[in-house]
Amino acid sequence: MNAKNERDTGNAAAPFAPTDRPGAQPVAVIDIGSSSIRMSLAEIRDGNVRVLDTLQQSVALGKDVFTCGSIHKDRIEECVRVLRSFRKFLDEHGLRDRGAIRAVATTAVREATNRDVFLDRIYMATGFDVNVLSEADTTRLTYLSMLPHVRRENHLARSTVIIVEMGGGTTEVLAVRGENVILSNTYRLGALRLRQTAEQLRAPAAQTRELMENAMDRAIDHIRFSVPKRGGVHVVALGGDARYAVQALTGEQAPEGMIGLPVRSVASLASKLLETPVETIAERYKMPLSDADTIGPALLFYARLARSYSLRHLLVSPVTMRHGLLDEMASVSEWTEAFQRQILRAARDIGRKYRHDEAHAEHVAELSAALFTDLASEHRLGKRHELLLKVGALLHDIGTFISTASHHKHSMYLIQNSELFGLSAEDLTLVAHLARYHRRAPPRPTHVEFMALTREQRLEVCLLAGILRVADALDVSHTQRIKNISCHREEGHLVIEIPGAGDLSLEDMALRQKGPMFQDIYGMDVLLRPRE
């Protein structure tokens, strides 16, 4: 992907002109961050993305949120003015299709107590329906945008790569080896948040840096524990602060690929910036005040992380989260096969952590997937739900780690309180409910957590849990003896034909206990039929 340099513009009157290449679709993504609002304009052709331009305007939402918890009304109107100028710019260039424009917000908006007020005001004033990204969404976009670059570089493909970006409110860390995710975590450690904490404590300049370093080192200790130093490690920094460091240290305005910066030089630059007034930084490096506020802490963290692994160079990538958004818009599937494999890998790791019956869990996941496919015309759910069903099947019995009695409830609790790479809080809630309802009582109005779901979510839980119950009943013996099932409808029944099964009385008994929920939601009872 060809990434151009970001330009600061207050009125969005930049000379953007999509090419007239046949089949090229113009698109735009808008990112409302903690310190700036950025818009990338691109064109998609045959699944490939070509970035044409990026506009940026400083709006310090994080200063409001990280200090008082909400976005001040004046700041909301400032955002409205910027986004209206972006809207006008898109309209003037014929980009009016809502499906070709995606607007997102990150940490500051996510944490704001008046988030809904902010989102409603933006929608009413501009027509932009802003999607607030979860931490899992951000991780997914980073993975999707960075994986091709990691694969392309031989020295990275053979090593562990720690991809890190310090934003205004949080620091995202993703460690991969090949395509496998080793660590995925979001730390409540952001450049603006660090500065706000120091200001609230009224720490003198000499102690401000010490406070920052102590907070950074706690996160670095966790990263070092999770990603051991063996087999080669590289640290790749993302974000505008890292790109400004490239410009300051090398003079390059818009590098095409990754650039290695001496860690010693990055640390020295960080020290100098932390000792320089923000206004002077903005003037000297021709950057907005909001960026000048964050660059010092961010570079300090990157340098300390690289030094903790005894690295001599820090890699900087021009890739941004907006590249991930554009790649996602260009892709037919929101979740690629590689990304789905990582989600399932993370689920298996959780299952092993709680010492579940892995062979049973894998077999129930396979049976669930087969039933999901055969019942596609009944449930009309998509690939995302199939993946969540598989995750639920892999984890449905982990509650036995606590107790075999009511282990379905324990499974729900453990899943709700786990971090599973790639799944949002909403996805994890759905998976937890699948585990909760894989046995015993079906959902009832007295089940508070189930009733707190939306109507659509409750229906999804019932459709998927009904399938999971049947699959679990088919392996009630935990011997994986039933394989290669095939299904068809016959006079109001779902007939599951099982080749070479022999005696099915145990499975029939399990279905009498677990099957009624399936019958209630699909309108069919389940019959097992041996087949030679």
Side-chain angles (χ1 to χ4, degrees):
M1 182 178 289
N2 180 23
K4 293 194 174 185
N5 199 29
E6 296 174 358
R7 293 182 291 102
D8 187 52
T9 175
N11 55 19
F16 164 66
T19 64
D20 295 326
R21 295 191 303 163
Q25 176 195 0
V27 294
V29 293
I30 299 170
D31 170 20
I32 304 174
S34 298
S35 59
S36 298
I37 301 178
R38 295 177 172 90
M39 179 168 71
S40 289
L41 303 121
E43 59 181 17
I44 297 172
R45 185 169 182 263
D46 298 330
N48 297 312
V49 177
R50 179 170 172 255
V51 177
L52 302 171
D53 212 342
T54 298
L55 310 179
Q56 170 183 334
Q57 179 63 31
S58 298
V59 181
L61 293 177
K63 284 199 171 182
D64 288 351
V65 176
F66 306 143
T67 301
C68 62
S70 63
I71 304 171
H72 192 274
K73 61 180 181 180
D74 292 342
R75 200 82 71 182
I76 293 177
E77 293 310 309
E78 189 179 351
C79 288
V80 167
R81 286 193 294 274
V82 172
L83 291 171
R84 273 179 171 161
S85 70
F86 284 3
R87 172 93 268 174
K88 180 181 178 183
F89 176 80
L90 295 174
D91 288 344
E92 288 173 350
H93 290 86
L95 196 53
R96 297 184 178 88
D97 180 8
R98 288 192 176 188
I101 304 168
R102 187 171 177 189
V104 301
T106 51
T107 307
V109 177
R110 185 168 64 236
E111 293 186 9
T113 56
N114 60 340
R115 179 177 79 174
D116 291 340
V117 172
F118 174 83
L119 297 174
D120 290 346
R121 175 69 183 121
I122 296 300
Y123 181 75
M124 292 298 295
T126 68
F128 291 135
D129 188 5
V130 179
N131 176 32
V132 180
L133 298 181
S134 66
E135 293 170 354
D137 291 329
T138 305
T139 303
R140 181 185 76 249
L141 294 168
T142 301
Y143 180 85
L144 292 174
S145 60
M146 280 300 299
L147 188 60
H149 296 266
V150 171
R151 285 172 171 167
R152 204 159 41 233
E153 304 282 346
N154 288 333
H155 66 294
L156 297 182
R158 298 191 302 267
S159 306
T160 298
V161 181
I162 302 174
I163 304 161
V164 56
E165 180 173 2
M166 175 177 276
T170 58
T171 297
E172 309 284 343
V173 178
L174 178 68
V176 297
R177 190 173 186 89
E179 68 174 28
N180 293 328
V181 175
I182 299 171
L183 171 67
S184 170
N185 208 354
T186 300
Y187 299 90
R188 196 176 172 82
L189 180 78
L192 279 178
R193 203 189 296 273
L194 287 170
R195 284 200 181 274
Q196 295 294 331
T197 301
E199 288 178 10
Q200 288 172 351
L201 295 174
R202 297 181 180 176
Q207 290 183 354
T208 295
R209 175 162 179 162
E210 184 179 353
L211 286 169
M212 289 184 179
E213 289 178 344
N214 288 339
M216 291 175 184
D217 287 345
R218 286 194 293 272
I220 289 171
D221 287 344
H222 182 267
I223 296 168
R224 287 291 311 277
F225 176 79
S226 305
V227 187
K229 181 185 173 183
R230 60 171 179 263
V233 175
H234 295 278
V235 174
V236 179
L238 306 181
D241 296 315
R243 294 193 295 276
Y244 275 126
V246 171
Q247 183 178 336
L249 295 174
T250 70
E252 291 205 37
Q253 296 289 326
E256 293 288 327
M258 286 195 220
I259 285 185
L261 299 178
V263 173
R264 181 183 300 178
S265 300
V266 175
S268 176
L269 178 60
S271 296
K272 186 165 76 172
L273 292 169
L274 288 170
E275 296 167 0
T276 305
V278 172
E279 294 78 7
T280 306
I281 295 172
E283 183 179 353
R284 182 178 300 167
Y285 294 102
K286 303 295 186 292
M287 66 173 65
L289 278 172
S290 57
D291 291 346
D293 214 12
T294 63
I295 186 169
L299 296 185
L300 178 64
F301 179 76
Y302 299 149
R304 291 183 78 80
L305 177 60
R307 278 180 166 170
S308 74
Y309 283 95
S310 304
L311 299 177
R312 297 178 62 185
H313 287 85
L314 170 74
L315 298 177
V316 177
S317 172
V319 169
T320 69
M321 184 185 70
R322 295 183 302 283
H323 292 104
L325 287 166
L326 290 167
D327 286 338
E328 202 168 71
M329 292 175 76
S331 175
V332 176
S333 172
E334 180 180 352
W335 287 349
T336 64
E337 290 296 325
F339 188 74
Q340 291 185 51
R341 284 196 297 271
Q342 293 315 302
I343 294 174
L344 294 173
R345 182 174 182 268
R348 292 183 176 103
D349 287 342
I350 292 175
R352 293 177 190 127
K353 175 182 178 181
Y354 293 113
R355 302 173 189 172
H356 69 158
D357 184 341
E358 188 170 351
H360 170 68
E362 291 285 351
H363 194 61
V364 172
E366 291 176 10
L367 293 171
S368 296
L371 290 167
F372 183 91
T373 300
D374 284 340
L375 290 164
S377 61
E378 303 288 339
H379 56 65
R380 297 188 295 279
L381 299 175
K383 284 290 184 182
R384 168 179 167 267
H385 292 96
E386 181 180 10
L387 178 65
L388 296 179
L389 174 61
K390 290 179 184 176
V391 173
L394 289 172
L395 300 179
H396 72 282
D397 274 346
I398 62 173
T400 56
F401 181 82
I402 297 175
S403 172
T404 53
S406 298
H407 73 264
H408 53 300
K409 297 179 182 179
H410 300 316
S411 293
M412 180 180 189
Y413 172 81
L414 292 176
I415 293 169
Q416 285 176 321
N417 290 276
S418 295
E419 288 188 4
L420 204 159
F421 168 76
L423 294 190
S424 66
E426 180 181 327
D427 293 330
L428 210 57
T429 296
L430 195 149
V431 170
H433 278 83
L434 294 187
R436 166 69 174 84
Y437 294 113
H438 86 274
R439 68 192 290 265
R440 295 291 179 90
R444 291 174 176 166
T446 55
H447 295 173
V448 176
E449 289 186 271
F450 177 76
M451 295 308 296
L453 301 176
T454 66
R455 183 177 183 276
E456 182 181 6
Q457 289 171 329
R458 293 198 298 270
L459 178 59
E460 291 169 349
V461 168
C462 292
L463 288 167
L464 297 178
I467 292 174
L468 179 56
R469 282 180 173 237
V470 173
D472 193 37
L474 292 176
D475 196 41
V476 63
S477 64
H478 284 230
T479 59
Q480 298 81 59
R481 71 186 193 93
I482 292 181
K483 300 179 176 67
N484 304 321
I485 62 172
S486 61
C487 306
H488 66 272
R489 292 144 194 78
E490 186 178 297
E491 298 179 354
H493 306 294
L494 177 69
V495 178
I496 301 178
E497 294 191 342
I498 304 168
D503 183 11
L504 293 172
S505 57
L506 186 62
E507 288 77 17
D508 277 325
M509 186 183 302
L511 274 174
R512 281 197 294 273
Q513 294 176 338
K514 291 175 175 281
M517 182 177 171
F518 180 92
Q519 184 174 4
D520 288 343
I521 195 70
Y522 286 96
M524 300 180 285
D525 60 358
V526 181
L527 298 179
L528 303 184
R529 182 176 295 170
R531 177 164 54 86
E532 295 301 326

